[in-house]
Amino acid sequence: MTGGTTASHQSAASRPPAEASEPRGRASAVVRWFVAPVPRARLAVFRILLYAFLPLEILWIRASVVAHSYVPELYRPTWLARALHLPPLTPEVAIALRWGILALVVLAIAAVLAGRWQRTTGWLLAGAFWVWMLNSMGFGYVSHDHLAIMVAITVLPTAGRATLGDTRPSEAAGWALRSVQLAVVATYVGSAVLKILRAGSLWGWPTSAVFVWAITRRGSALIRWTLDYPWLLVIGQWGLFLLELASPVVLWLRGRWLYLMIGVFLFFHLMTYLSLGIHFLPTVVCWAAFLPLERLPFVRRFARR
Amino acid sequence: MSRTARESADRARGRATVGPERAGGQPDGESAGEQAVEQAGPSTAPAEPVDRLPRRGLIWRLVATAAVLGVLATAQVVDTDDFWPLGSLSQYGAPKDVNGTIRSVYVEALFEGETQPRTLGLSAGSTGIQRGEIEGQLGRFIDDPSLLQQIADSYAELRPDRPQPEVLYLRRSVTQLENGRAVGEPTIETLAEWQVQP
């Protein structure tokens, strides 16, 4: 550990900046990268965005929790749900949990706007959402587009108080958003690594018939014509595979190159949604952690009030 | 263009444009010291002091980051979904043989008063469980077809106004591929069959 500062930090904001001097060195720079400060307002906007997305999760994307309560014998909980001894839910409990999450979403967003109770509402919402999602994933299928959003809901309360008008840079806010960024990137690069491991070679997956398989099983009218051109689908597989492998560069890109890369990924998700009905929205929303959200015009207007 | 020049240009245009240096949302990693103070604030305000983490806060965050990345990496090697959300990122991750088969599971039902079974749509809203979930625990259904009773029960509760199934068939269609193209009609396998108990 090299990057520690020794003085008390509770009053960091009130001290002259000169006191916040850092030890130099490569290890320190690496450590500091993980907690690179961002304005608290950015974290506040991301909190609102993520919390506002949760109703979509529980009412549409992973709405199946209430339905699952009718098939309790098919409950196959994953490791964490078993470790926590989470039982299958009854319809009454599932519906109560749904209302509870909706109420907590309102409270958590109100807490950001009011600048109070953010930690409490954030943790309560995170806990309730975890219970919901562990049930949703406990029936034989897990969705791989939820890595980043589960990281986000968990790390957001750790950054403490943050309001829309608070432009003070904070390392706690920086780490929370960096964690979400890392989880977004891991979603792609991890899946590329798994493809290599499963195929046992770099070219095994991209030269296989995965797209044919996917489109045959659930392709829409927009995409089924490609089944007559398997070579085209192989090109598509190479493109996707290389894009996933290259995804970590977004952690260091700036400006128009960053926006371009984000655009490429969002375009990919739009295409898979139109062709296969797979939208990856929980990951898409977490791409916002890469953006200077505090500069959105309505945030600035709100902050001035 | 230099950082400062671009920022004054932005101000001159009177817009909240974002300089490329800023877009990542992070100051440069190599020099996240005092420089961050100048870069992270809005261009119009004077530099603000950074709220630093106390040593303990920094340590637990780094340990948590390393632990999560470690579990995630392990899950890719072990190739397990069990650690969700840190499980293997295996959606469409298995290479498919261009001369292999494509298999797809579905449920058919013989409804009361009908002579031919027809497809029973699998959705959370009508059966409580979806196709991917049944495929994820297919072995259980094959070993113990009585689990199909759960699907009949949930259908009766969720769709009480519809005709109810008397027999359920868990089936799989298998399409043969040749050089990435489907050849012939899919063959149908019946994996399990269950007389619904009223």
Side-chain angles (χ1 to χ4, degrees), chain A residues 46 49-50 53-57 60-62 143-150 184 187-188 265-266 268-270 272-273 277-288, chain B residues 91:
Chain A
F46 188 76
L49 182 71
L50 192 91
F53 180 76
L54 297 187
L56 209 60
E57 278 276 11
W60 176 52
I61 301 171
R62 300 308 309 174
S143 55
H144 304 102
D145 57 352
H146 277 73
L147 168 57
I149 200 169
M150 298 315 293
V184 168
T187 304
Y188 301 99
F265 277 99
L266 298 192
F268 158 67
H269 291 309
L270 179 65
T272 48
Y273 177 64
I278 296 172
H279 52 67
F280 254 64
L281 274 180
T283 307
V284 166
V285 79
C286 289
W287 273 106
Chain B
Q91 180 157 290

Side-chain angles (χ1 to χ4, degrees), chain A:
Chain A
M1 181 56 55
T2 55
T5 49
T6 45
S8 156
H9 296 265
Q10 271 63 29
S11 58
S14 57
R15 289 199 315 269
E19 242 184 276
S21 70
E22 292 301 310
R24 297 281 165 190
R26 188 155 296 182
S28 166
V30 171
V31 165
R32 289 295 160 201
W33 182 84
F34 282 96
V35 295
V38 303
R40 286 165 183 272
R42 181 176 307 177
L43 184 92
V45 180
F46 188 76
R47 270 186 183 150
I48 292 177
L49 182 71
L50 192 91
Y51 294 157
F53 180 76
L54 297 187
L56 209 60
E57 278 276 11
I58 64 169
L59 298 176
W60 176 52
I61 301 171
R62 300 308 309 174
S64 55
V65 170
V66 176
H68 280 160
S69 61
Y70 291 94
V71 287
E73 279 180 45
L74 303 181
Y75 186 48
R76 305 289 282 168
T78 50
W79 179 85
L80 188 56
R82 294 198 304 278
L84 297 172
H85 298 284
L86 286 180
L89 305 178
T90 62
E92 294 75 24
V93 171
I95 288 166
L97 182 60
R98 185 167 67 190
W99 282 109
I101 292 175
L102 290 175
L104 280 168
V105 163
V106 173
L107 290 175
I109 293 175
V112 176
L113 297 176
R116 325 181 49 164
W117 293 92
Q118 291 184 60
R119 223 184 272 265
T120 310
T121 52
W123 281 124
L124 286 173
L125 182 53
F129 188 63
W130 268 98
V131 171
W132 181 273
M133 290 308 298
L134 284 170
N135 178 284
S136 175
M137 300 297 158
F139 286 78
Y141 170 82
V142 301
S143 55
H144 304 102
D145 57 352
H146 277 73
L147 168 57
I149 200 169
M150 298 315 293
V151 167
I153 194 82
T154 311
V155 297
L156 279 182
T158 66
R161 187 170 175 277
T163 56
L164 294 176
D166 188 351
T167 53
R168 255 181 322 159
S170 142
E171 286 188 333
W175 179 77
L177 290 179
R178 179 70 86 204
S179 301
V180 180
Q181 294 176 353
L182 285 168
V184 168
V185 166
T187 304
Y188 301 99
V189 77
S191 99
V193 167
L194 183 98
K195 285 167 179 135
I196 297 169
L197 290 173
R198 278 209 180 165
S201 69
L202 273 173
W203 55 86
W205 185 88
T207 56
S208 77
V210 170
F211 281 11
V212 174
W213 176 73
I215 294 166
T216 303
R217 276 167 57 94
R218 53 184 301 162
S220 71
L222 273 176
I223 195 76
R224 296 197 76 92
W225 62 271
T226 57
L227 291 174
D228 290 330
Y229 305 95
W231 56 270
L232 190 62
L233 295 175
V234 168
I235 293 176
Q237 285 163 190
W238 272 112
L240 173 59
F241 178 64
L242 294 176
L243 183 67
E244 286 177 337
L245 269 185
S247 60
V249 301
V250 299
L251 291 168
W252 291 278
L253 287 181
R254 299 271 185 262
R256 69 192 63 164
W257 289 107
L258 175 70
Y259 296 142
L260 180 71
M261 265 308 251
I262 294 178
V264 168
F265 277 99
L266 298 192
F267 180 75
F268 158 67
H269 291 309
L270 179 65
M271 288 298 107
T272 48
Y273 177 64
L274 294 176
S275 44
L276 299 173
I278 296 172
H279 52 67
F280 254 64
L281 274 180
T283 307
V284 166
V285 79
C286 289
W287 273 106
F290 286 86
L291 302 175
L293 298 168
E294 74 282 6
R295 288 154 191 261
L296 290 167
F298 75 88
V299 174
R300 301 190 135 197
R301 267 203 304 280
F302 189 91
R304 270 199 298 271
R305 275 196 287 149

Side-chain angles (χ1 to χ4, degrees), chain B residues 1-136:
Chain B
M1 196 192 298
S2 80
R3 202 159 287 185
T4 351
R6 186 184 298 276
E7 278 169 10
S8 3
D10 287 346
R11 274 199 297 274
R13 283 197 295 275
R15 302 188 284 144
T17 45
V18 179
E21 307 80 9
R22 294 275 180 81
Q26 315 294 347
D28 298 328
E30 316 80 62
S31 55
E34 302 78 54
Q35 237 190 318
V37 177
E38 282 133 43
Q39 288 170 24
S43 51
T44 44
E48 293 186 66
V50 173
D51 269 359
R52 299 232 169 262
L53 285 166
R55 176 177 277 268
R56 209 178 50 179
L58 184 65
I59 291 175
W60 79 249
R61 281 171 173 85
L62 292 172
V63 169
T65 307
V68 164
L69 291 175
V71 172
L72 190 63
T74 308
Q76 308 313 306
V77 176
V78 181
D79 200 351
T80 176
D81 274 342
D82 205 31
F83 300 162
W84 185 90
L86 303 176
S88 80
L89 297 157
S90 55
Q91 180 157 290
Y92 297 101
K96 300 288 174 185
D97 187 350
V98 290
N99 295 307
T101 55
I102 295 173
R103 306 192 292 182
S104 186
V105 167
Y106 60 100
V107 170
E108 283 197 320
L110 182 64
F111 291 96
E112 50 199 12
E114 296 184 16
T115 52
Q116 285 294 319
R118 55 189 167 88
T119 307
L120 180 73
L122 297 172
S123 68
S126 62
T127 52
I129 194 160
Q130 294 163 4
R131 177 172 78 168
E133 293 175 318
I134 291 179
E135 286 181 322

Side-chain angles (χ1 to χ4, degrees), chain B residues 148-170:
Chain B
L148 288 169
Q149 180 69 35
Q150 280 269 295
I151 292 177
D153 290 346
S154 59
Y155 193 77
E157 291 207 60
L158 292 163
R159 295 282 182 261
D161 47 334
R162 304 251 181 102
Q164 295 300 311
E166 290 176 332
V167 188
L168 287 176
Y169 305 91
L170 183 62

